[in-house]
Amino acid sequence: MIAAALDGFVIDLDGTVFRGDRVIEGAPEAIATLRQAGKRFVFLSNRGNISRAMCRARLSRYGIEAAEEEIVLSSTVTARYLLDREPDSRVWTLGDDGLREELASCGIMHAERPEAADWLVITLHETLTYRDLNEAFRAVRHGARIIATNEDRSFPGAEGDQIDVAGMIGAITASTGAKVEVVVGKPSAYMAEAALSALGLPADRCLMIGDSIESDIGLGKRSGMKTALVLSGSTVEGTDESWTARPDWVWSSIAELVRIVGF
């Protein structure tokens, strides 16, 4: 039985648990089954424009209860990266308010003005204005180094794929000539290490579940986890010839977890 070989589950959010404002059918029940079986799990997302508190509240609205310790976002891991390497640095952000909230909750200091920033942190910005772009431009023009929560081109929304962080990055790098120095999000080792640390388990006892071949399955393969691709998000049936990594399982959605893993 597969369940006996797995103690930890690393679960993507967008396209796996929800899509846009709608929960994926069967996702709450699958996650409840994991908890009832005594399995450890962590939600691992490239979402950098929200905080863990915001994510926890959203999951709760869908009937999924999670502690903040069971949520690892690219905004969280970005904060930890900066704290470990440059704890006294000040940042400017290009992203929604959740990014700033998460950085502040981890002890990262925000610069008083763009020109005083040591780092520009770029993430998804769904309320983007010209002023936001121009302030980020000013930060980089005055010496701020660029760190991105991820560099995904798109993410699955309720009305189809939507522009992601790559669009924000492109605007700043094209206008300043600067380059991104660090990309934190999946499939990076930073995210894999954060997930495994949260679980307290070795990679070979864990299963990565997600909808992206590149981000989710790529992370799982590189770190030594088992992998399950779900077809409820950015990857759809019939695209397997272009896959850069081969998952151990392919499911229509996370709802298949209960039947296939064998609880």
Side-chain angles (χ1 to χ4, degrees), residues 13 42-43 45 47-60 66-77 79-80 83 98-99 101-107 198:
L13 288 174
V42 62
F43 296 106
S45 175
R47 276 275 182 174
N49 64 329
I50 61 174
S51 65
R52 284 170 295 170
M54 293 168 64
C55 183
R56 185 183 181 193
R58 182 176 184 181
L59 288 169
S60 183
E68 285 195 14
E69 294 74 23
E70 294 174 321
I71 299 170
V72 177
L73 307 172
S74 60
S75 53
T76 317
V77 181
R80 293 174 184 171
L83 282 174
L99 171 61
E101 179 181 316
E102 185 68 4
L103 294 175
S105 73
C106 295

Side-chain angles (χ1 to χ4, degrees), residues 2-261:
I2 298 171
L6 297 170
D7 297 312
F9 295 78
V10 182
I11 306 170
D12 173 52
L13 288 174
D14 282 291
T16 302
V17 174
F18 48 73
R19 181 167 185 142
D21 294 327
R22 298 177 61 184
V23 68
I24 301 294
E25 185 177 355
E29 293 79 7
I31 293 160
T33 299
L34 287 179
R35 196 178 292 285
Q36 291 164 7
K39 299 295 184 179
R40 302 180 199 176
F41 62 85
V42 62
F43 296 106
L44 185 71
S45 175
N46 268 356
R47 276 275 182 174
N49 64 329
I50 61 174
S51 65
R52 284 170 295 170
M54 293 168 64
C55 183
R56 185 183 181 193
R58 182 176 184 181
L59 288 169
S60 183
R61 291 196 300 272
Y62 296 144
I64 301 169
E65 299 303 322
E68 285 195 14
E69 294 74 23
E70 294 174 321
I71 299 170
V72 177
L73 307 172
S74 60
S75 53
T76 317
V77 181
T78 298
R80 293 174 184 171
Y81 178 93
L82 292 171
L83 282 174
D84 287 346
R85 292 162 177 80
E86 296 189 30
D88 297 325
S89 62
R90 284 173 166 74
V91 304
W92 195 260
T93 58
L94 178 60
D96 295 305
D97 291 343
L99 171 61
R100 190 166 175 174
E101 179 181 316
E102 185 68 4
L103 294 175
S105 73
C106 295
I108 297 296
M109 295 178 289
H110 199 273
E112 293 182 1
R113 53 194 180 87
E115 291 82 0
D118 301 300
W119 287 91
L120 172 67
V121 184
I122 303 180
T123 194
L124 178 63
H125 204 331
E126 296 179 285
T127 56
L128 183 66
T129 67
Y130 176 79
R131 179 175 181 176
D132 296 322
L133 280 174
N134 196 51
E135 287 178 340
F137 170 82
R138 285 161 48 198
V140 174
R141 285 289 293 266
H142 284 80
R145 300 155 69 187
I146 304 174
I147 183 170
T149 61
N150 63 292
E151 55 183 357
D152 295 344
R153 294 183 176 88
S154 63
F155 68 94
E159 299 176 351
D161 286 347
Q162 299 180 198
I163 190 170
D164 208 338
V165 181
M168 282 83 255
I169 292 172
I172 299 305
T173 56
S175 59
T176 63
K179 295 183 178 180
V180 176
E181 291 193 25
V182 183
V183 178
V184 172
K186 295 182 287 185
S188 78
Y190 306 121
M191 294 291 280
E193 289 166 5
L196 293 172
S197 176
L199 290 171
L201 292 168
D204 61 3
R205 300 292 300 179
C206 298
L207 172 67
M208 175 76 226
I209 306 171
D211 70 309
S212 169
I213 283 289
E214 191 171 305
S215 295
D216 300 316
I217 306 309
L219 177 144
K221 289 292 186 183
R222 293 178 193 180
S223 59
M225 301 182 204
K226 295 293 185 182
T227 57
L229 176 72
V230 293
L231 302 178
S232 52
S234 60
T235 302
V236 297
E237 199 166 5
T239 60
D240 54 308
E241 290 184 3
S242 63
W243 292 356
T244 54
R246 292 283 161 180
D248 295 291
W249 296 282
V250 179
W251 303 340
S252 60
S253 76
I254 195 173
E256 291 195 48
L257 172 68
V258 178
R259 177 178 64 84
I260 293 174
V261 175

